[in-house]
């Protein structure tokens, strides 16, 4: 890494190591005046995230957590529904699942399943769901979390049920590795209607086949990148301002992880503002810390010290 950070021809470093190395490697890269993108979670302690944020400001360099799930088709769709107030002026309940059926442990002794700092489902996939929630609804008032091990022989948490209270709005984030029959991925209930969506964003599975996304010069409509099959479109049941009841499939917006890199390029080269702030990465870690504390102490906690 030191040789990499010392290379004057390199402007940007992307840290995609195990979570426990995010802080030390990012710090070294920033000290060498590199722009830094860190795979989520940004760090494993909120104090480390704060230190990196201050260092990035001092060095006048970009520091950004990689939250690719903001560019998922499902997330972009529910954000559109909320922004257009298709369920009314207020959302009063939101449930987000990120489940799998994987009863056997990983044979390769993957670091995510070893008993070490920053491992486990809550750090791993909880980071995605927390970031989506904070970007949609802002800071919650309280958190109540149940984080546990369900699979025999597992060493770190593989299940969580986290409740974030916003007053009238309640958000539930859930993850399990023992769900054979998948339920909805997203459930939204508002004052005038509901939206329920099954299925996952297709980009990761397509990337795993070796298929490459389009370049910035290609049109997504012609490439069909990130387009979801019609059968996975969500179901919208709501009422218009004119009193017309709507019950229909709602077309899923196209997912596109490439948008993150387009924004990153514009930020580095042209000084544009990034959608994902380093403070967002800090807030995710702070919520993770509070969730772990809530689960351990079996009580509801105030969501304090958020930026």
């Amino acid at each position: 890494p030191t040789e990499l950070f010392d290379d004057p021809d390199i402007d940007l470093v992307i840290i995609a190591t195990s979570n426990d190395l995010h802080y030390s490697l990012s710090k070294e890269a920033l000290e060498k005046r590199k722009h830094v993108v860190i795979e989520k979670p940004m760090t494993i302690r909120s104090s480390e995230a704060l230190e990196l944020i201050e260092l990035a400001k001092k060095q006048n360099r970009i520091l950004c957590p990689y939250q690719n799930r903001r560019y998922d088709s499902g997330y972009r769709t529910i954000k559109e529904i909320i922004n257009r107030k298709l369920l009314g002026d207020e959302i009063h309940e939101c449930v987000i699942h990120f489940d799998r059926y994987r009863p056997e442990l990983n044979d390769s002794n993957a670091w995510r399943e070893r008993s070490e700092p920053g491992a486990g489902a809550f750090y791993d996939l909880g980071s995605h769901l927390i970031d989506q929630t904070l970007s949609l609804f802002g800071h919650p008032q309280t958190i109540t979390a149940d984080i546990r091990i369900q699979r025999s022989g597992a060493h770190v948490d593989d299940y969580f049920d986290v409740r974030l209270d916003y007053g009238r709005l309640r958000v539930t984030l859930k993850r399990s590795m023992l769900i054979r029959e998948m339920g909805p991925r997203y459930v939204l209930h508002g004052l005038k209607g509901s939206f329920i969506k099954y299925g996952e964003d297709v980009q990761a599975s397509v990337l795993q086949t070796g298929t490459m996304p389009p370049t910035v010069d290609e049109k997504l409509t012609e490439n069909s990148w990130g387009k979801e099959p019609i059968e996975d479109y969500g179901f919208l049941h709501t009422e218009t301002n004119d009193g017309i009841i709507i019950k229909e499939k709602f077309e899923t917006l196209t997912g596109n992880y490439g948008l993150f890199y387009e924004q990153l390029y514009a930020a580095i080269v042209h000084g544009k503002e990034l959608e994902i702030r380093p403070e967002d990465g800090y807030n995710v870690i702070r919520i993770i810390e509070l969730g772990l504390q809530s689960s351990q102490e079996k009580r509801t906690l105030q969501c304090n010290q958020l930026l």
Side-chain angles (χ1 to χ4, degrees):
T2 301
E3 183 180 353
L4 179 74
F5 301 153
D6 283 337
D7 190 331
D9 294 328
I10 292 175
D11 299 311
L12 168 69
V13 171
I14 298 177
I15 308 294
T17 62
S18 57
N19 296 342
D20 60 319
L21 295 175
H22 287 185
Y23 165 72
S24 59
L25 290 175
S26 298
K27 182 179 180 181
E28 185 178 354
L30 286 169
E31 287 173 341
K32 298 294 177 67
R33 299 189 59 77
K34 306 299 183 187
H35 300 291
V36 176
V37 170
I38 316 174
E39 180 61 62
K40 59 77 199 165
M42 185 170 164
T43 55
I44 60 176
R45 299 175 187 87
S46 60
S47 59
E48 295 173 340
L50 280 177
E51 186 179 335
L52 292 180
I53 290 171
E54 290 306 312
L55 179 58
K57 290 177 181 177
K58 178 182 176 182
Q59 298 290 76
N60 194 27
R61 287 296 177 266
I62 287 170
L63 172 69
C64 183
Y66 180 55
Q67 291 287 359
N68 62 306
R69 296 294 177 176
R70 285 206 206 180
Y71 306 93
D72 272 1
S73 55
Y75 169 78
R76 298 185 73 204
T77 302
I78 65 169
K79 183 178 180 180
E80 174 82 358
I81 286 172
I82 292 170
N83 289 344
R84 289 173 57 185
K85 299 186 176 181
L86 296 181
L87 306 182
D89 290 336
E90 270 188 73
I91 302 297
H92 58 76
E93 185 171 14
C94 173
V95 182
I96 307 178
H97 281 255
F98 205 143
D99 297 320
R100 293 280 186 274
Y101 183 68
R102 198 175 297 158
E104 304 299 328
L105 301 181
N106 194 313
D107 293 333
S108 64
N109 192 28
W111 62 263
R112 287 182 178 87
E113 295 189 1
R114 294 198 298 262
S115 181
E116 59 184 48
F122 195 44
Y123 268 101
D124 184 25
L125 296 179
S127 297
H128 285 310
L129 305 191
I130 293 167
D131 179 74
Q132 288 184 344
T133 301
L134 298 184
S135 63
L136 287 172
F137 303 115
H139 297 171
Q141 296 174 9
T142 65
I143 182 171
T144 309
D146 178 2
I147 304 166
R148 62 179 67 191
I149 295 173
Q150 286 191 327
R151 293 177 298 168
S152 177
H155 301 290
V156 291
D157 60 272
D158 54 13
Y159 169 92
F160 60 79
D161 181 321
V162 176
R163 311 295 170 101
L164 297 169
D165 193 323
Y166 285 81
R168 282 198 286 260
L169 165 67
R170 169 187 257 196
V171 178
T172 303
L173 310 178
K174 298 196 69 170
R175 159 71 169 180
S176 174
M177 299 286 273
L178 297 175
I179 306 296
R180 176 158 251 161
E181 184 64 30
M182 298 297 166
R185 180 68 184 274
Y186 297 100
V187 177
L188 285 176
H189 298 299
L191 293 173
K192 287 197 171 184
S194 301
F195 179 72
I196 298 174
K197 187 189 179 315
Y198 290 77
E200 289 195 23
D201 183 273
V202 301
Q203 293 176 87
S205 59
V206 173
L207 284 167
Q208 288 169 354
T209 68
T211 304
M212 293 299 290
T215 66
V216 292
D217 297 324
E218 296 174 316
K219 292 182 180 179
L220 287 177
T221 52
E222 297 174 356
N223 188 278
S224 77
W225 177 264
K227 283 194 173 182
E228 195 173 70
I230 294 176
E231 56 268 25
D232 283 344
Y233 286 3
F235 185 73
L236 177 67
H237 183 184
T238 191
E239 181 179 353
T240 68
N241 292 331
D242 300 328
I244 299 172
I245 301 298
I246 296 174
K247 296 176 72 173
E248 63 186 17
K249 288 274 192 177
F250 188 88
E251 182 175 355
T252 305
L253 271 62
T254 300
N256 183 11
Y257 296 155
L259 290 174
F260 172 83
Y261 295 100
E262 290 180 31
Q263 293 172 7
L264 181 63
Y265 175 86
I268 293 173
V269 177
H270 303 300
K272 301 290 186 180
E273 190 171 329
L274 276 168
E275 176 184 347
I276 303 174
R277 311 173 306 146
E279 291 83 0
D280 296 341
Y282 162 85
N283 287 336
V284 168
I285 299 307
R286 181 61 187 147
I287 293 291
I288 287 176
E289 290 174 337
L290 289 168
L292 292 169
Q293 182 184 350
S294 169
S295 182
Q296 183 178 11
E297 298 178 1
K298 301 189 184 305
R299 66 186 181 100
T300 298
L301 297 176
Q302 294 291 319
C303 291
N304 54 17
Q305 299 178 29
L306 297 174
L307 299 179

